[in-house]
Amino acid sequence: DGSLPPAGSAYALSTPEALYVAVRIPHPEPARLRAQKGMWGQDDGVEIDLQPVSTKRKGPVFVLHGFPSGNIQSITDAGASEAEAQRLGAAATFQAHIGEDAWTGEFRISRSALAKCWNPPQEVGQMQLNVGARVSASGQGLWYAWARTGGANYAVERAGILLLEPPCPANAPNLLVNGDFESEVVSR
């Protein structure tokens, strides 16, 4: 029918210390993923685009790339300065795992680093956010996005809003469980 299969799933969790974004991307060829080094636009990868928003103003738009190899990049394509991108890149980590039929990855981004987008630092209450992926299964190199922006994925003003405040109580249903976002167990 011409429709594309779902590219995967993404989950977000915010704690007072960090913002976590986890992804699961189906891929039938794990050997191909293991051979990739992490070149954006050529290899499989995931992109998160985020703009911190305080009660007073918006920060720069940041772009982070994560790859099945575990490599992470913080780039300036969306307008963050080189210094801002480097600061956020130093405050972010990415871990990946290649399974039999999919790969998973998790970004961890320091909330204090996001607050330092401004001088003086301001509390970040929400994020404008988008998530994109490149999937090279069968050599096709397909691109996907959580929110179609009509342009680049980092046009976050046309994507989604992730509310960080007020915090969600720990016993709320459907939260990530101990970092295992593939778990079927949810808090009750």
Side-chain angles (χ1 to χ4, degrees):
D1 66 5
S3 63
L4 296 173
S9 51
Y11 305 86
L13 172 70
S14 180
T15 69
E17 295 78 34
L19 170 66
Y20 297 87
V21 178
V23 297
R24 182 180 189 283
I25 309 291
H27 199 293
E29 303 170 80
R32 178 184 288 207
L33 293 175
R34 288 186 187 92
Q36 296 177 359
K37 301 296 183 224
M39 300 225 12
W40 190 249
Q42 177 181 329
D43 296 336
D44 287 69
V46 64
E47 173 178 290
I48 60 169
D49 309 289
L50 57 151
Q51 182 177 38
V53 179
S54 76
T55 56
K56 298 180 181 176
R57 57 193 253 212
K58 295 179 179 182
V61 178
F62 293 101
V63 178
L64 293 172
H65 293 157
F67 301 93
S69 64
N71 289 342
I72 183 173
Q73 299 172 337
S74 180
I75 62 171
T76 60
D77 289 7
S81 71
E82 186 68 35
E84 290 168 328
Q86 285 179 0
R87 248 191 329 271
L88 188 70
T93 60
F94 182 75
Q95 294 182 334
H97 172 75
I98 300 171
E100 290 183 28
D101 62 351
W103 70 277
T104 58
E106 181 180 279
F107 292 92
R108 181 192 185 279
I109 305 160
S110 163
R111 286 198 52 188
S112 66
L114 292 168
K116 293 176 185 172
C117 293
W118 302 284
N119 191 8
Q122 298 178 22
E123 189 63 34
V124 177
Q126 66 183 27
M127 291 279 179
Q128 291 189 274
L129 177 75
N130 204 359
V131 180
R134 182 177 190 281
V135 180
S136 68
S138 303
Q140 295 178 2
L142 300 174
W143 295 88
Y144 297 91
W146 171 50
R148 291 182 180 177
T149 65
N153 282 348
Y154 55 74
V156 293
E157 70 278 1
R158 295 187 302 265
I161 296 174
L162 178 63
L163 300 176
L164 304 177
E165 300 295 334
C168 193
N171 62 352
N174 299 317
L175 291 178
L176 302 179
V177 178
N178 298 321
D180 181 10
F181 65 90
E182 292 182 355
S183 174
E184 294 297 321
V185 179
V186 294
S187 301
R188 298 267 187 247

